[in-house]
């Protein structure tokens, strides 16, 4: 992937590092746009790692029109295995959760036009203390290929650490996590002729993973977990704005799974959460129980304009910009800046965030990086409002967001 031309367009007002070109997985056929799907973890943690949840979700993705909008991965997170490997050292699906095993479920899900993902860990145990893949990388990946599994999330609990016994996380020690991910990536590459597996690095943003994650995988977590509270949305969303230049086709900053439809955030906060994740080109992985999700949340997840922005083939993540002529505030680290923009293949995206307070926002197109002064056509994603003008003016409520696609008028 040639990213130099793309990166030149990315607004760099607040970007600390110059854009760098790295060894992107440039022969990938999967993950060219951010992953869209569902994961069991935010729904009911270990309890949701079952065939029942996988099949119910697959049916709901179709029934609710989510599949047609691009949500295709049904991902099972931690706790899907038995507590011990079998006599051959293979991972064993928990027979209570997977009475038919994994492969028949994958086949059923594939027959529905969807994909299936699993979770594992670089250490000896997963974060919830199920068997990890350390020293079993090739064996585990062969099992995934034999089961026709499409996605693997690789966590980093119970890894090597300079203290004994290794704690659940080795956060506090200056350990390079890169070799663990390199090893799993090699294993995944080794089965590529049989099965191409999308590789998600669940690495919580250690060792500035965004500067090297694309050598090994298709997306990498940039922060500690999204805990489903507003503080998490602000912590992760503001971080994404600082490292936007590292996302591109085939390798994306992962802001973590969504909490939209979990009755944890207000309606405005759910709108901002989804809107910001979409423009930051994060994987959009639903974390709600689709058999119970409120319609108001479903409508957010089904916002077609935001999905089109997220899946734009240019793959460039939006970042904060400071309008030169407006009365725009100083950026504050750890806060979500009110003005965001980024290039799209058909124009630019502009967003106004009300995370720091409601307001009447306005910006002239001459102030937006990558846009010529003068008249443009625009559409706001949540309201559907459209216009033709040389500036944008919009009222945004507390914690809400407005997201505009701005294009040349035909
Ligand atoms: C965490 C990870 C979460 C979830 C959990 C499972 O480390 O960040 O996304 O996978 O482990 O135990």
């Amino acid at each position: 992937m040639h990213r130099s031309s793309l990166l030149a367009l990315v607004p760099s007002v607040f970007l600390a590092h110059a854009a760098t070109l790295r060894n992107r997985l440039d022969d990938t056929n999967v993950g060219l746009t951010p992953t869209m799907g569902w994961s069991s973890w935010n729904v009911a943690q270990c309890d949701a790692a079952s065939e029942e949840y996988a099949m119910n979700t697959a049916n709901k993705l179709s029934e609710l029109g989510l599949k047609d909008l691009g949500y295709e991965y049904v991902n099972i997170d931690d706790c899907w295995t038995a507590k011990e490997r079998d006599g051959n050292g293979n991972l064993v699906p928990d027979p209570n959760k997977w009475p038919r095993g994994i492969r028949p479920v994958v086949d059923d899900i594939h027959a529905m036009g969807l994909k299936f993902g699993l979770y594992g860990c670089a250490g000896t145990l997963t974060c919830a203390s199920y068997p990890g893949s350390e020293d079993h990388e090739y064996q585990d990946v062969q099992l995934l290929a034999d089961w026709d599994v499409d996605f693997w999330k690789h966590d980093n609990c119970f890894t090597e650490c300079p203290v004994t016994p290794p704690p659940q996380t080795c956060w506090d020690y200056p350990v390079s996590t890169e070799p663990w991910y390199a090893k799993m990536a090699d294993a995944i590459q080794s089965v590529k002729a049989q099965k191409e597996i999308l590789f998600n690095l669940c690495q919580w943003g250690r060792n500035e993973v965004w500067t090297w994650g694309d050598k090994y995988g298709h997306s990498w977590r940039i922060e500690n977990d999204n805990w489903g509270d507003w503080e998490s949305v602000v912590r992760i969303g503001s971080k994404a704005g600082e490292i936007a230049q590292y996302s591109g086709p085939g390798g994306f900053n992962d802001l973590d799974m969504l909490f939209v439809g979990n009755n944890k955030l207000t309606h405005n906060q759910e709108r901002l959460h989804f809107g910001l994740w979409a423009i930051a080109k994060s994987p959009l992985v639903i974390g709600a129980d689709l058999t119970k999700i409120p319609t108001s949340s479903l409508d957010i997840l089904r916002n077609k304009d935001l999905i089109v922005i997220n899946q734009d083939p240019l793959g460039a993540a939006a970042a904060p910009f400071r309008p030169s002529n407006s009365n725009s505030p100083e950026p504050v680290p750890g806060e979500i800046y009110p003005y965001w923009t980024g290039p799209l293949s058909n124009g630019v995206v502009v967003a106004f965030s009300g995370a720091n307070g409601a307001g009447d926002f306005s910006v002239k197109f001459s102030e937006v990086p990558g846009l010529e002064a003068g008249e443009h056509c625009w559409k706001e994603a949540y309201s559907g409002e459209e216009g033709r003008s040389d500036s944008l003016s919009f009222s945004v409520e507390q914690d809400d967001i407005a997201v505009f696609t701005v294009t040349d008028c035909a």
Side-chain angles (χ1 to χ4, degrees), residues 32-173:
L32 290 168
T33 59
T35 309
M36 289 180 67
W38 172 95
S39 164
S40 56
W41 187 250
N42 291 350
V43 178
Q45 294 76 48
C46 288
D47 291 345
S50 67
E51 166 172 355
E52 193 182 338
Y53 269 95
M55 291 311 301
N56 283 345
T57 299
N59 285 317
K60 283 289 174 187
L61 286 173
S62 301
E63 249 175 74
L64 299 172
L66 291 161
K67 175 185 155 225
D68 290 344
L69 286 164
Y71 293 95
E72 62 173 347
Y73 286 85
V74 177
N75 291 342
I76 296 296
D77 209 278
D78 205 349
C79 318
W80 61 272
T81 67
K83 286 278 184 165
E84 303 291 339
R85 290 174 178 269
D86 69 13
N88 297 320
N90 283 321
L91 291 171
V92 180
D94 178 342
N96 296 315
K97 291 174 175 159
W98 304 90
R100 297 190 289 155
I102 299 289
R103 178 70 202 237
V105 179
V106 179
D107 289 345
D108 286 356
I109 285 178
H110 284 166
M112 298 168 77
L114 294 164
K115 293 183 171 162
F116 182 82
L118 284 175
Y119 160 103
C121 190
T124 52
L125 296 171
T126 70
C127 297
S129 291
Y130 290 78
S133 293
E134 188 174 316
D135 296 332
H136 291 271
E137 287 86 355
Y138 285 82
Q139 181 172 16
D140 290 353
V141 167
Q142 189 55 56
L143 208 54
L144 298 179
D146 293 344
W147 289 342
D148 213 7
V149 170
D150 304 286
F151 169 104
W152 181 254
K153 167 175 169 179
H154 208 47
D155 214 333
N156 76 124
C157 281
F158 296 107
T159 50
E160 264 176 56
C161 197
V163 281
T164 315
Q168 189 204 31
T169 72
C170 194
W171 271 112
D172 298 335
Y173 303 89

Side-chain angles (χ1 to χ4, degrees), residues 238-253:
S238 57
K239 176 81 201 184
E242 294 168 15
I243 54 174
Q245 76 272 35
Y246 295 102
S247 282
F252 295 94
N253 288 329

